[in-house]
Amino acid sequence: MNIEKFSSFFQGEALRFLEEAIELALREDGRDLTSEGVFPPDHRLGAKIIAKEDTLVAGLPIIPLVMERCGHGEWSWKAFVHDGDLVADRTVVATIEADAARLLKAERIILNFITHMSGIANHTRRYVQALSGTGTRLLDTRKTLPCLRYPEKYAVLVGGGLNHRKNLEEMLMLKDNHVDLAGGITPAVSKLRATYSPCPPIEVECRTLSEVQEAVLCKVERIMLDNMDTAQMCEALELIPESIETEVSGGVTLETIHALASASTKGPDFISVGRLTHSAPVADFSMLVQ
């Protein structure tokens, strides 16, 4: 996962949201009156960003995006590893040189992104390893921090997972509220297909075997088995033809994911895990100013 992969992910809407998140973070901090008061404008500093644990690295290409918005004048940076690299404790992953006030204003914002995104990548990697040998693929969810969805979903990719829909337009998901208010799966699917042409892929969240059977008859693109116990999940998977993708979700943990993927002779295509983003501990990085 190198800067080209970062650039291919962060383009269009994704890049715009990332830039807005960086600009908002800078506005939250305001002026760095401490650094401006202590250092003259021409005082130059160098800094090393150092991993303080064995960790995946994610978010290094955000460094120039932050630095460009932190002031004027010459500055430089160099990365010594790529996003997706697994580095050892005390590895120098990047260096930055700039005027003191600019560098110190950028320091915390850069570290906040890198520690958060690398933590998600590490957490995702553990789940991917737990699924090894099952054939089931790992998905994230929309349980992301507001305004940080794209950095978090990028970090999931760095960790080896896959992205579920990035927004409410990429895939239409019929959840229990939609189904109940529409009067059932069949009328809900019919309304969607009548409303949109072409209609985006439709996923139906199913709670019972009868709902699974109804979704199969509707020939939707994906069926989610939501919070089913293992026996019910296995029975449901047997009802779904190969032409329809299957997803298991709800309360999945690192301790249970392998058993869920391998419980049936016909395992799910995907397992989605909200914990990848909403419960990932940060990775430990620091910036050492020279």
Side-chain angles (χ1 to χ4, degrees), residues 13 16 84 175 187 192 208 237 260 286:
E13 185 178 73
R16 185 171 70 252
K175 300 174 76 68
L192 289 178
T208 66
L237 288 170
L260 285 171
S286 65

Side-chain angles (χ1 to χ4, degrees), residues 50-55 86-92 284-286:
I50 303 170
K52 297 181 70 177
E53 62 176 308
D54 296 349
T55 179
L86 182 63
V87 302
D89 184 14
R90 305 299 163 180
T91 297
V92 176
D284 195 1
F285 288 81
S286 65

Side-chain angles (χ1 to χ4, degrees), residues 6-181:
F6 181 93
S7 299
S8 65
F9 183 90
F10 285 105
Q11 55 181 306
E13 185 178 73
L15 178 59
R16 185 171 70 252
F17 285 141
L18 175 59
E19 291 173 338
E20 290 174 356
I22 292 170
E23 289 166 0
L24 179 59
L26 290 168
R27 291 201 301 272
E28 281 181 330
D29 269 345
R31 286 176 59 189
D32 183 359
L33 296 179
T34 306
S35 297
E36 290 177 17
V38 170
F39 297 104
D42 60 350
H43 190 100
R44 304 284 291 181
L45 288 178
K48 297 177 180 179
I49 299 178
I50 303 170
K52 297 181 70 177
E53 62 176 308
D54 296 349
T55 179
L56 284 174
V57 179
L60 288 183
I62 286 177
I63 292 173
L65 298 181
V66 175
M67 292 297 297
E68 287 165 3
R69 289 163 173 78
C70 277
H72 304 284
E74 293 184 1
W75 65 277
S76 62
W77 80 292
K78 183 176 182 180
F80 297 97
V81 300
H82 298 103
D83 274 12
D85 285 352
L86 182 63
V87 302
D89 184 14
R90 305 299 163 180
T91 297
V92 176
V93 300
T95 56
I96 309 172
E97 184 177 329
D99 66 85
R102 185 180 197 173
L103 179 58
L104 294 174
K105 179 174 175 60
E107 175 186 8
R108 178 44 51 193
I109 294 171
I110 288 171
L111 287 176
N112 283 347
F113 274 105
I114 291 175
T115 58
H116 182 54
M117 294 169 68
S118 298
I120 290 173
N122 287 332
H123 206 45
T124 301
R125 180 171 176 264
R126 297 183 190 105
Y127 276 85
V128 170
Q129 290 174 330
L131 280 174
S132 178
T134 66
T136 297
R137 291 164 286 177
L138 179 68
L139 289 176
D140 56 20
T141 70
R142 285 175 51 246
K143 294 178 180 177
T144 54
L145 288 172
C147 303
L148 290 179
R149 175 169 302 159
Y150 283 91
E152 292 184 350
K153 283 185 171 285
Y154 167 79
V156 168
L157 295 181
V158 173
L162 299 174
N163 294 152
H164 204 296
R165 55 182 184 163
K166 297 184 181 70
N167 55 43
L168 297 174
E169 299 175 10
E170 284 191 349
M171 175 180 280
L172 310 182
M173 182 182 288
L174 288 169
K175 300 174 76 68
D176 52 359
N177 289 331
H178 302 107
V179 171
D180 293 343
L181 292 171

